[in-house]
Every structure is written in C-alpha cells, then in structure tokens.
Amino acid sequence: MPTDCIPFRDTQYFSSLICDYLEEKPELKPFYNRFPKLENFEAQITEKSKFSGMSKSHRQVLATVLEAQYANVKTSEATQLNISLLKESNTFTVTTGHQLNLFTGPLYFLYKIVSTINLTKELKTTYPNQHFVPIYWMATEDHDFDEINYFNFKGKKIQWNREDGGAVGEFSTEGLEDVFELYTKELGVGKAADELRTLFSEAYLKHDNLADATRYLANALFSDLGLVIIDANQKDLKRAFIPYIEQDILSQISSQEVSKTSELLANVPDTDYNIQVNPRAINLFYLSKNSRERIVFEDDVYSVLNTKMTFSEAEILKEIHEFPERFSPNVIMRPLYQEVILPNLCYIGGGGELAYWLQLKDYFEAVKLPFPMLLLRNSVLVKTQQQTKKLEKLHISNRDLFQKRDTFINKKVRKISNIDIDFSSQKAHLKKQFEDMYALAEQTDASFLGAVKAQEHKQIKGLEHLEKRLLKAQKKKLADQVSRMTDLQNQLFPNQSLQERATNFSELYLEFRHQLIEQLVLDLQPLKQEFLILNL
C-alpha cells in the first residue's frame, strides 16, 4: 500500500523532549541507557542476561503464571510457544503497556502492539540464537476508571457508567449489556458490523471482569502473531518484587532518586522540558476489594489513606511477605516491577510514557536493575482511497493536513485564489521605506523617532487588517472548497486531534476488516521513528 512518512517534529503534535530524544540530542544521553538501534540490542541482551533476577526458577514461575492465565483462553500455537520459550535463558521480551480501555479505546492501542510484534521479528532476524517474545502488559492495577470507560465511534462517545473504586482489572463487567445495545445500534448492518458485535459480546458479555475481557479481546486480535498478554496483579509474580517493595517502604529510595533525576531533566540548558510525573515519599498503593489507596508514613506509623488500617514497621514488613499481592506500584514503581519480572530488553510507549521513563534511570541504577531501551511507538494516519482521491483533487499534501486549522485553511485559500492575498512583499516594502524615515529623523531631530515608529506600527497594522478582511471575503467566495477541505481534515483529525488518539479501531474495521491489522503488520517499522501516513 502507498505510504508516506513525516518526521515527528514536523507534525507539531509531539513535545520537544520526545523530538530531542529521537534526534539523540547529547544533553539527553544521561537519562537513558542505549538508544533503540538494532545494533545496540546485543549489549542490552548481555546486560539483561547477567541480571540475577532472571533465574531459571523465576522464569518457570513467570511461565506457570501465564499458563494459568491462558487456561480458559483459546489461543494460537505461536502464543503457546512463546509462553513456553520464556522458560529458556536465551529468551527475551519486548513490552508495551496499556490501560484496559473499553473496546481498546483509541487506535494507538493497535499501533503499540503491532510495533512490539514487529520489533521482535526484526530482532529474531538479527539475533537468530535468541528468542524474542512480544508482551502486552495490561494495566490491571490502574484505578483511573474515567480514562478507560469509553471509546469514540463515528463522533459519538460510547460510555460505560458504573461506580468507581479499586483496581480496574477486577471490575465486574456487569452493566456492559447496555453499552453493547447502544454500540450495536450504531454499527449498522453488514459482515464487518456483525464481526464487531460478536467480538464485543464475546469479550465483555461472556467474561466476569475487565481483565479477562481485555485479555480475550487482545488475544482475538493478535494471538496469531504470538502476542503474550500478562496480568501482573498476581501473588507469585509479586513475590519477586518483595525486596523492592521493602526498600521503598523503609528507605523511600524511589522518591529520592526520581526527584534528583527530575530536577536534572527540568534544568537541561536551553530547554523547556515538562516533568511528567512527581514521586511521592512512598510510591505504593494498598490493594483490597474495591479499594486501592496510597500508603503513607507519618509519626512512625504506616497507614492506608481513607481507611482505618495502620501498621508498625514490623507489621508492614510481615504484611509484605505474607500478602505481596496487596502492594500495588504506582506510575513510578510500575516500570521497575515490569523489569523485575520480565526478561525485558525494550519498552515501547507513547510520548507521555517515554517522558516519565526518562525520569527513572538513576532509580534503576540505585537498585541495580538494567534500564531497558525506550522506543517511541509507531504513529499512523490512515486514509481511505476515497479520502486520498479527494485530497489529491484539492491539491492537499500530507504535510498540509498536519497544520492547525486556521493555518491550513488560510494557506490553501491563498493558493487557490485568483488574487494575491499575501501582503508579505508590501509589508517588507513598507518596512524598507520606514528605514529611510528613521535615518532622516536621526539626522534632523531624534525626538521624532517615536513618531516614526508609531506611524510604522499603524501602517503595518492597517495592511494586516486589510489582508485579513480580503482573506475572509475570499473564504466566503470559495466557501465550497473551504467546506470540503475542512470536512476532510475533520475526518482525519477529529476535534483537531490526531486520528490515533481519538478514533476507535472499529470505525476502520467496518471498511477494511482483517486487512487493517494485516496492513499495519506489513507497514509499521518500529525502528524507523517517523510518523506514518498509510493509504488503505
């Protein structure tokens, strides 16, 4: 399929921090381990191999937990083989993580996972003596229900309304029948619509909790490609995390190290990097039924906010060893937990995720844990053949589409007008004339400089005002073309946002069905690090 690529910086949708990282600015080198290039994975493999946590017994536990989680899931031989391979010392993972968004949420859910799958393929070709397993880490311990309880479909918000509370993975799927009824009415008729109805129904109406529903859904979409889905909210896995939980409870090391790194990142010269996350003194929650609350330390007592639970130091250490599953890492410690329990080489995430990972390297070094390579997920704009033809007819380029609405329309109106509405040359000529006036004022009476400046400002403003009025009039005259251009940009950039951040995959599935994921697998190149425009 025809494709085009645009540098991330040129899209104007990505932060300066991420763009600088992609361009390997030397100022950012202290904040990551190795840049994600194919040749750099050899050293990453060696470093992770030496990590003592990746023992044979730990790998066996990991595989056993995954086998149990897949016990009632019909999956492919490729996924079954990958779970089995995790027992081997020469098997490594590439991981992406995502919230349990209703029906996958926005399109980039697909792009994250396909990026992860495709990178493992590239690694296997380059390093044939190792095995590489793509992992989707379900954020089952998250509690931000408002961020995941809806998806957008054809301009409408399909939302699940229920009471909030606790880790979302354990949420009952009760009440999703109403969501299904609403969604199925919007789908319309046809084979693709029926397939989507079945997919939603099988995932959410035949599973008791959100974690199981999401596992079924992701497996249905990607199992043929060997994807392994993990729910890390599990006692046997958290046993391996006990030393790090204790360390954070007793010495609050995460807060110290991340705060230090964050300050260094915020003070990189000649930048305006925003700090993505701020650590707390203790970066753990206490999990119980329908509750996930922060652990705090005050007056020599550990307590769980919004509850009556308190612990002495001895009591909380006993609790950690007996019930490690009750301790849930927050955004600061979750990456650490991931790297403790997985033989992971690389994390693939969005710009916001990579921004907070860049705050964590000193913390990883302090606890002697290999820091993974960080790769920005693929970003994609999908255009249909019909949209492509319309854009070509209106002489709209891919780069034009990424401009902000007013800039986009003004530029195109100027281009298609039969009159020149760009007064740049007139303004330049006027400025040149006033340079002569400034020189004359200097030679006669310098007190006139202010008057000359005021007159210059007035004249330039007058030209700009006239230019805007003419442009407005021409937009009215070309209303049909403006309307068609605006409609096209609205289709591809809903609410003036990236398509991948707003649109649900099912909108595209209605037109392309299985071809959608098949084409993404063919075209996404995770190490290329450019924004992909895909004509389907």
Side-chain angles (χ1 to χ4, degrees):
M1 289 291 171
T3 63
D4 187 15
C5 289
I6 294 177
F8 280 102
R9 191 182 293 278
D10 291 353
T11 69
Q12 302 178 64
Y13 279 93
F14 293 82
S15 70
S16 60
L17 173 61
I18 294 304
C19 293
D20 288 351
Y21 173 68
L22 295 178
E23 293 166 7
E24 298 183 71
K25 293 293 179 68
E27 295 85 356
L28 285 176
K29 184 64 183 77
F31 301 97
Y32 61 92
N33 192 4
R34 296 177 182 90
F35 194 76
K37 295 179 179 178
L38 209 50
E39 62 269 23
N40 288 344
F41 277 89
E42 183 175 1
Q44 194 74 25
I45 290 168
T46 300
E47 184 178 8
K48 192 68 178 186
S49 298
K50 294 177 180 177
F51 174 53
S52 58
M54 286 298 109
S55 64
K56 185 175 181 179
S57 60
H58 174 77
R59 284 177 174 272
Q60 181 63 54
V61 169
L62 175 62
T64 300
V65 167
L66 286 167
E67 287 165 356
Q69 292 183 354
Y70 273 88
N72 298 315
V73 181
K74 184 179 179 181
T75 192
S76 67
E77 290 184 6
T79 293
Q80 293 171 16
L81 175 61
N82 277 341
I83 292 173
S84 179
L85 284 173
L86 287 169
K87 301 173 188 176
E88 307 298 326
S89 61
N90 63 337
T91 299
F92 301 90
T93 63
V94 175
T95 302
T96 192
H98 197 67
Q99 295 171 299
L100 306 189
N101 294 72
L102 187 61
F103 213 43
T104 76
L107 264 169
Y108 67 78
F109 173 83
L110 269 61
Y111 306 156
K112 275 185 166 184
I113 291 178
V114 174
S115 298
T116 304
I117 291 167
N118 282 1
L119 180 56
T120 60
K121 291 179 180 179
E122 284 193 65
L123 290 173
K124 183 61 178 175
T125 300
T126 307
Y127 303 100
N129 294 327
Q130 277 80 36
H131 304 293
F132 304 94
V133 176
I135 298 285
Y136 162 40
W137 178 290
M138 295 194 295
T140 55
E141 296 180 55
D142 197 0
H143 62 243
D144 294 322
F145 183 59
D146 289 344
E147 294 182 3
I148 69 166
N149 68 346
Y150 71 94
F151 62 95
N152 299 313
F153 182 74
K154 294 184 176 180
K156 295 185 179 180
K157 189 174 185 178
I158 310 294
Q159 186 166 340
W160 178 23
N161 296 309
R162 55 148 287 164
E163 289 186 6
D164 197 356
V168 296
E170 297 175 359
F171 279 12
S172 167
T173 51
E174 185 179 352
L176 279 169
E177 297 88 352
D178 295 336
V179 176
F180 176 67
E181 289 301 319
L182 173 63
Y183 178 50
T184 197
K185 289 176 184 177
E186 296 293 336
L187 275 172
V189 297
K191 192 166 185 178
D194 290 341
E195 288 170 354
L196 288 167
R197 284 188 185 90
T198 300
L199 185 60
F200 190 103
S201 175
E202 292 290 324
Y204 293 102
L205 306 189
K206 295 187 179 180
H207 291 89
D208 294 333
N209 61 61
L210 194 53
D212 289 346
T214 305
R215 182 187 295 106
Y216 175 90
L217 177 60
N219 180 72
L221 293 171
F222 296 106
S223 71
D224 289 344
L225 299 167
L227 181 69
V228 174
I229 303 154
I230 187 168
D231 177 0
N233 186 13
Q234 210 278 343
K235 184 172 185 175
D236 289 338
L237 294 178
K238 285 193 174 177
R239 283 198 181 99
F241 199 50
I242 286 175
Y244 304 92
I245 296 173
E246 288 181 322
Q247 205 170 31
D248 202 62
I249 289 289
L250 297 178
S251 66
Q252 302 175 6
I253 188 170
S254 62
S255 176
Q256 299 167 26
E257 295 298 332
V258 176
S259 294
K260 179 180 71 176
T261 309
S262 300
E263 185 176 356
L264 291 171
L265 189 61
N267 291 311
V268 173
D270 303 318
T271 65
D272 56 351
Y273 298 152
N274 292 320
I275 297 304
Q276 194 72 11
V277 293
N278 291 297
R280 300 185 182 277
I282 294 175
N283 290 288
L284 293 159
F285 291 91
Y286 190 89
L287 272 181
S288 55
K289 189 173 178 59
N290 299 324
S291 174
R292 183 176 183 252
E293 298 288 349
R294 282 175 48 214
I295 300 169
V296 296
F297 182 62
E298 296 175 335
D299 301 323
D300 294 327
V301 173
Y302 295 93
S303 58
V304 180
L305 289 181
N306 301 314
T307 74
K308 295 180 180 180
M309 283 187 283
T310 59
F311 303 90
S312 66
E313 181 178 300
E315 288 169 338
I316 200 165
L317 290 177
K318 183 173 183 289
E319 186 84 356
I320 291 168
H321 280 267
E322 292 183 0
F323 306 103
E325 71 276 13
R326 295 179 182 175
F327 294 82
S328 176
N330 73 354
V331 66
I332 295 291
M333 288 193 71
R334 190 214 65 80
L336 192 83
Y337 180 39
Q338 169 191 296
E339 296 302 310
V340 166
I341 66 173
L342 293 177
N344 198 48
L345 303 175
C346 178
Y347 183 76
I348 297 180
E353 291 175 283
L354 263 57
Y356 72 71
W357 272 90
L358 290 170
Q359 296 175 238
L360 302 179
K361 183 166 175 279
D362 287 338
Y363 177 32
F364 272 70
E365 289 180 350
V367 297
K368 297 179 172 56
L369 185 64
F371 194 63
M373 299 166 83
L374 305 176
L375 180 63
L376 184 67
R377 65 168 174 82
N378 283 114
S379 282
V380 186
L381 172 65
V382 177
K383 298 188 301 183
T384 66
Q385 289 183 14
Q386 186 181 33
Q387 288 168 335
T388 300
K389 288 177 182 177
K390 288 180 178 179
L391 290 166
E392 289 173 351
K393 192 172 181 179
L394 290 166
H395 304 289
I396 296 172
S397 71
N398 288 327
R399 287 178 179 265
D400 289 337
L401 285 169
F402 283 86
Q403 294 174 335
K404 302 305 178 186
R405 176 66 42 77
D406 287 345
T407 304
F408 167 63
I409 296 300
N410 290 346
K411 178 183 176 182
K412 298 312 294 181
V413 166
R414 284 189 172 100
K415 192 169 184 178
I416 63 178
S417 292
N418 54 7
I419 59 173
D420 189 1
I421 316 177
D422 185 356
F423 285 6
S424 298
S425 60
Q426 288 88 341
K427 284 185 276 189
H429 180 67
L430 192 61
K431 286 180 178 292
K432 180 67 176 67
Q433 288 182 316
F434 272 95
E435 287 177 10
D436 296 337
M437 293 184 194
Y438 281 122
L440 185 60
E442 283 277 8
Q443 293 171 14
T444 53
D445 188 341
S447 64
F448 280 99
L449 286 171
V452 173
K453 186 174 182 62
Q455 190 62 237
E456 179 189 21
H457 180 73
K458 181 180 178 181
Q459 295 289 336
I460 294 292
K461 277 290 182 186
L463 275 177
E464 289 174 347
H465 180 64
L466 181 59
E467 184 179 16
K468 286 179 182 178
R469 288 184 62 187
L470 286 170
L471 188 59
K472 185 177 180 181
Q474 194 67 358
K475 281 183 187 178
K476 191 173 181 180
K477 187 175 179 180
L478 300 171
D480 179 57
Q481 290 100 317
V482 169
S483 176
R484 283 186 285 150
M485 289 188 293
T486 303
D487 287 345
L488 275 168
Q489 195 186 44
N490 279 336
Q491 291 171 27
L492 295 167
F493 290 77
N495 299 316
Q496 300 188 53
S497 176
L498 287 176
Q499 178 193 63
E500 63 180 30
R501 297 178 187 173
T503 302
N504 182 258
F505 86 96
S506 57
E507 281 192 45
L508 297 179
Y509 190 92
L510 283 176
E511 183 159 0
F512 304 111
R513 296 181 64 215
H514 304 292
Q515 183 193 0
L516 174 62
I517 290 178
E518 289 169 1
Q519 201 62 50
L520 291 173
V521 172
L522 286 174
D523 288 326
L524 265 57
Q525 301 177 52
L527 296 175
K528 190 173 182 180
Q529 296 289 268
E530 288 189 308
F531 198 109
L532 177 68
I533 295 94
L534 178 60
N535 300 327
L536 274 179

